[in-house]
Amino acid sequence: MISVHDPVVGKAFGWLRRFRKEFYACLTTRQDALFELADAVLCADGPVRSLAELSLVGEHRRGHGSSYGAVVDGRIDVERLRSALAGVPLPRAADGRLVLAVDITSWLRPEAHTSPQRILCHTYGRGKDQAIMIPGWPYSMVVALEPGRSSWTAPLDVVRLAPGVDAATVTAAQLRALIGRLTAAGQYKPGDPQILIVADAGYDGPRLAWLLRDLPVQILARMRADRVLRRATPPWIARVHGGRKPRHGGEFVFGDPATWGDPDVATTTQTRLYGTASALAWDRLHPRLTRRAAWTGSGELPIIAGTVIRLQVDRLPSGAIPKPVWLWWSGVHATDTTTPADLDRLWQTFLRRFDIEHTFRMLKQTLGWTSPKIRSPDAADRWTWLILAAYTQLRLARPLVADLRRPWEKPAEPDRLTPARVRRAFRHLRNNTACPAAAPKPTRPGPGRPPGRPNHQPTNRYDVHVVTSNQASKPKPKTKKSVNPRPRRTG
C-alpha cells in the first residue's frame, strides 16, 4: 500500500497519476490498445523482445494483432505529449539550473529493404578506432541530467533525422522548441540561471551556440584534440601598424603546448575514480570560420568566442591510458568572474553527459525500443514516443516502489534504485494508479488471404540514403593512403 500521508510519496503518486491520465489523453486513435501496450512494456517480467510477446502479459488484455495494429494505425498527439514531458518534475543541478544533454542514437535496420528513409548510421566496431556504417533510423534525443552519478535521465524530446537534413540545424530547432515548452511549463523563469546544454564531439559547439544565441542557454561541448582556435585580436592602431585590422589573433593549437600560454584559471581536484584531475581554462578563443559547409551564406562570418577547458586525469576505471579532454564553453569573458569551483562544476557536468548512454541501453535492451520489426518510419516514431512515456512513468515511480532484488543482488538505497529495479516493482504499483483504458470488446479474426492465392502486390523496396547533410559532397577519387599524420583542423 502507498502511504499518501507521507508528503513526498503522496506528491510523487499524484504526479504519476496525472501523467498517466495526460498520456492517455494524448492517444487519439486506438488509445486503449496503445495505453495497455505501454503498461505491458512496464510490467513484463523480462526484456521486451517483440510486440507479439507483449500480448501475453497480464496487463495487456488484447490479442497480439491489436499490438501491431495500434503501433501501425494508432495516432498520438505528439505536441501534447511533449508538453506533458516538459511539465513533470525535472532534475536540476546544485545551483538550480537545468542541464540538458543532446545525442544521436540509431535504430539499426540493416535488412529492412522495404523500409523507407533509412540512413547509414555510424556505429563502433570491435577493434580500436573502427567505425561501421549500418542502415537505420537515427534519432536525436534531448534529456535532462541529474546532478550526481546516476543511471537516470529525464527524456524530454526526440526527433528522427530524415535523409538530407543537417543534424546541427535539426538539433538547434529541437532545443529552441523545447526551451519554449519549458518556459511555458514554468520550468524556467526570467532571472533563473541559464540552461546548460552539454554535447559530445559529434556536435559543433560554436555553431550550436550561434544558432541559439538569442536564448538563455550556454553550450558546453567537447572538441577534437586536433583543433586549432584563434585568440582575440590584439590592440590595433591603423596609423602605426598600417593596413586593415585583422579579425583573428594568434593560433591556439590543441596539440602544441607552446601556443597555449598561461591559463586564465587552473584547478586541481582529487577524485575517487580518476585520481588527480587537473583543469586549465583559456578565455576569448574562437574558431576561424571559412565559407564552406554550414557557413556558405552571404555576409561577414561571425566571431564566436568562448572558453576552452583542458581536462587531464591520472587514470581511467578501464585501465586505459588517459588522454586529455578538450571542452568548449560558450561563456564569453567568463574567466574574470569564474572561480576554480565553477571550473570544476563545468567539467564534472560534462562527465554527467555519459548518463544518457545508460538511458539508451535501458530503452533498447530492456524496454525493447528497437526490438519490433516495424516497416514504416511513422510507426517507428509512434513506438518511440510510447517507450519514452513508459520510461517517464518509471522515473516518476522511483519514490513509490520497494526494492525487489534478486538473491544475488546487493541491497540498494531507496533513492538509488536503477530503472530496471523500479520496473520490476511497477506491476504492484499499477493497480493503485489511473488505468483509464476500457476493456476490450469481443471480436472475431478476419478471414485473411484465401489459401493458394499469392500476393500479387509486392512491397516497394527502398535504397539507403548515404548523404545526411544539406549539401551532397562529390565522390572523391580513391588515392593511396598517405603515411603523413592527419592534418590539423583549423576551424
Side-chain angles (χ1 to χ4, degrees):
M1 294 294 294
I2 299 175
S3 177
V4 295
H5 301 289
D6 188 346
V8 176
V9 174
K11 189 175 181 179
F13 178 76
W15 275 112
L16 177 61
R17 186 179 182 87
R18 286 193 295 270
F19 180 80
R20 285 174 63 84
K21 289 183 178 181
E22 182 65 17
F23 171 56
Y24 182 79
C26 295
L27 309 177
T28 57
T29 303
R30 301 206 178 195
Q31 55 184 173
D32 294 334
L34 287 173
F35 189 85
E36 288 193 356
L37 194 60
D39 278 357
V41 171
L42 293 171
C43 299
D45 293 332
V48 176
R49 301 302 182 189
S50 66
L51 292 179
E53 291 183 358
L54 289 178
S55 63
L56 304 178
V57 180
E59 286 71 14
H60 190 276
R61 298 175 293 179
R62 290 159 172 82
H64 64 275
S66 66
S67 302
Y68 287 96
V71 175
V72 175
D73 298 328
R75 294 293 182 270
I76 300 178
D77 189 348
V78 175
E79 292 303 323
R80 183 172 181 177
L81 184 54
R82 284 187 170 119
S83 300
L85 293 177
V88 298
L90 299 178
R92 296 178 180 269
D95 56 355
R97 75 172 69 226
L98 286 171
V99 180
L100 306 180
V102 295
D103 202 356
I104 295 178
T105 183
S106 301
W107 184 338
L108 302 180
R109 298 303 308 277
E111 299 179 357
H113 302 289
T114 58
S115 297
Q117 301 185 16
R118 291 184 302 158
I119 303 175
L120 286 180
C121 303
H122 178 276
T123 58
Y124 290 97
R126 293 184 177 272
K128 182 180 180 182
D129 298 333
Q130 290 185 357
I132 303 175
M133 305 302 292
I134 301 178
W137 292 314
Y139 283 85
S140 174
M141 190 173 296
V142 184
V143 303
L145 300 178
E146 296 198 352
R149 293 181 58 197
S150 174
S151 57
W152 289 93
T153 62
L156 297 175
D157 192 36
V158 63
V159 173
R160 179 173 51 84
L161 301 181
V165 301
D166 181 32
T169 304
V170 173
T171 303
Q174 184 182 11
L175 289 170
R176 182 177 296 275
L178 173 59
I179 292 173
R181 293 192 297 270
L182 292 175
T183 304
Q187 301 285 5
Y188 175 82
K189 301 177 182 179
D192 292 347
Q194 290 185 322
I195 301 175
L196 185 62
I197 300 175
V198 188
D200 205 5
Y203 291 88
D204 188 355
R207 187 187 174 205
L208 203 58
W210 175 256
L211 295 175
L212 302 176
R213 61 189 180 277
D214 59 330
L215 297 180
V217 300
Q218 294 181 351
I219 307 298
L220 179 64
R222 184 168 68 94
M223 280 190 165
R224 292 169 55 106
D226 58 352
R227 293 293 296 268
V228 178
L229 301 186
R230 293 301 186 100
R231 301 182 185 273
T233 305
W236 186 267
I237 303 177
R239 61 184 177 83
V240 176
H241 299 88
R244 185 177 60 179
K245 180 181 179 180
R247 301 188 71 237
H248 311 284
E251 289 186 341
F252 185 95
V253 185
F254 287 4
D256 186 4
T259 62
W260 298 350
D262 296 332
D264 296 314
V265 180
T267 179
T268 302
T269 307
Q270 295 294 330
T271 62
R272 182 176 61 88
L273 295 177
Y274 307 101
T276 303
S278 303
L280 308 176
W282 294 269
D283 192 16
R284 303 173 180 88
L285 296 177
H286 65 273
R288 181 177 180 178
L289 304 179
T290 58
R291 294 207 176 275
R292 58 183 178 84
W295 306 99
T296 55
S298 59
E300 189 177 22
L301 293 175
I303 300 295
I304 310 174
T307 300
V308 172
I309 302 173
R310 182 183 185 272
L311 175 64
Q312 180 68 58
V313 298
D314 287 342
R315 63 178 184 271
L316 296 176
S318 61
I321 300 177
K323 297 181 180 180
V325 176
W326 292 90
L327 306 176
W328 186 88
W329 178 42
S330 61
V332 182
H333 309 296
T335 54
D336 299 335
T337 58
T338 300
T339 63
D342 296 331
L343 184 59
D344 289 337
R345 175 181 59 82
L346 287 173
W347 67 260
Q348 290 173 4
T349 301
F350 175 77
L351 294 183
R352 298 275 63 78
R353 191 211 71 85
F354 296 97
D355 294 342
I356 195 175
E357 303 296 339
H358 297 285
T359 301
F360 291 158
R361 188 179 299 110
M362 178 68 183
L363 298 181
K364 294 181 179 180
Q365 298 182 1
T366 303
L367 300 185
W369 173 36
T370 59
S371 296
K373 307 303 180 183
I374 299 175
R375 176 184 300 173
S376 169
D378 295 333
D381 296 344
R382 202 169 296 117
W383 175 251
T384 300
W385 282 108
L386 207 69
I387 294 298
L388 290 191
Y391 183 88
T392 303
Q393 295 181 53
L394 290 180
R395 190 174 63 85
L396 295 177
R398 290 171 65 184
L400 305 176
V401 299
D403 183 16
L404 302 181
R405 67 184 183 91
R406 301 290 189 255
W408 54 85
E409 294 176 344
K410 296 181 179 179
E413 298 294 333
D415 58 342
R416 299 295 298 176
L417 294 180
T418 62
R421 290 199 182 187
V422 174
R423 176 176 178 259
R424 192 180 298 166
F426 191 86
R427 170 174 288 175
H428 306 282
L429 177 66
R430 174 183 175 274
N431 294 331
N432 296 324
T433 61
C435 299
K441 299 178 181 179
T443 58
R444 297 181 61 182
R449 184 184 298 117
R453 181 176 297 179
N455 183 13
H456 296 288
Q457 296 179 354
T459 306
N460 296 330
R461 301 172 72 90
Y462 302 90
D463 295 332
V464 179
H465 297 266
V466 179
V467 180
T468 58
S469 61
N470 287 331
Q471 297 182 355
S473 58
K474 297 182 179 179
K476 299 180 180 179
K478 295 183 179 180
T479 57
K480 185 177 180 180
K481 187 176 180 180
S482 176
V483 295
N484 297 328
R486 182 174 54 189
R488 63 183 187 178
R489 301 182 62 181
T490 59

